Amino acid sequence: MTTSQTIQPVADPVAPRPSFWGPGQSVAVVIPCRNEERSIGKVVEDFRRALPGALIVVVDNASTDATALRASEAGATVLHESRRGKGFAVVRGFRATRDADFVVLVDGDDTYPAESVHALLDGLRAGADMTIGTRLTSWEDGAYRPGHTFGNRLFIALVRVLFGVQTRDLFSGYRAFTQRFLMLSPLIAQGFELEAELSMQALAGSFVVTEVPVHYRARGEGSVSKLSTLRDGYRILIVLLAFFRDYRPLTCFGLLALAMFFLSAVTGGVVVGQYIQTGQVLRVPMAILSVGFALLGAISMIGGLLLSSLGRRSQQLAALILRQ
């Protein structure tokens, strides 16, 4: 695994383009949504115009309104996922579109322009495994809830520090994938941490990622965001730390080992200093604590080395699979 990942931006199209796919290439659009009856019909119709002939799949995530009915009336194939959580709905949609060569993921709240889908697909055509529609360069007033822009940038900075990923939008819900990427990227996210997991899976698998600037629109009247700032922010943080542990084990456990050795040196220094002055070990519990910290540091270092070695082996196996 490389220590950094450079994401290549491409320009957003100015005018609509003809259908992207040719012989042997097919496109499916997966739209997970819950209680989006006001917007889902327009989203489906917009993507049917932008991608005539593409399979449009709406995954109704336990809606209590007429979302499924409006999607069906607009011409979409409607699936139902009773488990609440965007991650569950997206995985359900991906499973239903395994026959498509390229899969587009978009939210059902009509905040992403359908005409930009051609730029995302062009990124795949140019060799990318995943393209991301980045929102942080152009957006309408009111498109972001208070604090969400700051939170997005904060998590982007954290990802750059931990993983070296130079992404401009970690949580964009507008993406396109090759089928190979979806087949080789196990997804376990249940909620809105899904987008972060997709980016981390791209890093873990050394996939090529391209970013495309898109104009982010405000939600329509009556449409309400399901994102909880604190709850989902906490879950995203846990996901990032788990990926840091799993995919950067030597760095993660190496830092933990250094912290343990530092604590051992501090507590042991007090005991040694008193022994030099008095010739006696006056603080036996502190001496035991110092030894314990040293042992924990050694265990962390050994664990990081072993996990790093196993991780490298798994990367080699994954690379062989990707070549097939």
Side-chain angles (χ1 to χ4, degrees), residues 11-187:
D12 198 16
V14 176
R17 302 184 183 185
S19 299
F20 164 79
W21 60 96
Q25 296 177 326
S26 57
V27 177
V29 180
V30 174
I31 311 174
C33 56
R34 178 163 65 91
N35 293 339
E36 297 289 0
E37 65 175 354
R38 294 178 179 269
S39 59
I40 188 59
K42 179 178 181 300
V43 173
V44 172
E45 292 170 357
D46 287 349
F47 275 91
R48 290 186 65 189
R49 282 193 296 268
L51 297 172
L55 174 65
I56 311 294
V57 176
V58 171
V59 185
D60 179 25
N61 191 205
S63 294
T64 57
D65 62 5
T67 294
L69 176 61
R70 298 291 176 264
S72 180
E73 291 175 344
T77 299
V78 179
L79 305 177
H80 298 275
E81 174 53 64
S82 60
R83 296 170 296 175
R84 286 194 176 185
K86 184 176 182 179
F88 291 127
V90 169
V91 170
R92 177 78 171 87
F94 286 166
R95 288 176 180 172
T97 55
R98 288 178 177 174
D99 292 335
D101 296 293
F102 307 106
V103 178
V104 177
L105 174 66
V106 68
D107 293 337
D109 53 11
D110 193 32
T111 54
Y112 296 100
E115 58 270 18
S116 295
V117 71
H118 296 286
L120 271 68
L121 293 174
D122 282 347
L124 301 182
R125 187 179 187 181
D129 298 289
M130 176 174 69
T131 53
I132 305 173
T134 60
R135 309 160 294 171
L136 298 182
T137 56
S138 175
W139 65 86
E140 289 183 0
D141 292 337
Y144 285 103
R145 289 166 58 186
H148 281 192
T149 303
F150 172 77
N152 199 342
R153 295 186 186 279
L154 183 63
F155 278 115
I156 287 173
L158 179 62
V159 166
R160 288 182 178 180
V161 170
L162 295 181
F163 304 99
V165 179
Q166 302 298 312
T167 182
R168 292 180 293 170
D169 191 354
L170 186 63
F171 304 120
S172 173
Y174 198 10
R175 302 175 183 234
F177 315 90
T178 61
Q179 194 60 242
R180 185 183 69 161
F181 174 88
L182 296 179
M183 291 178 62
L184 297 176
S185 300
L187 300 176

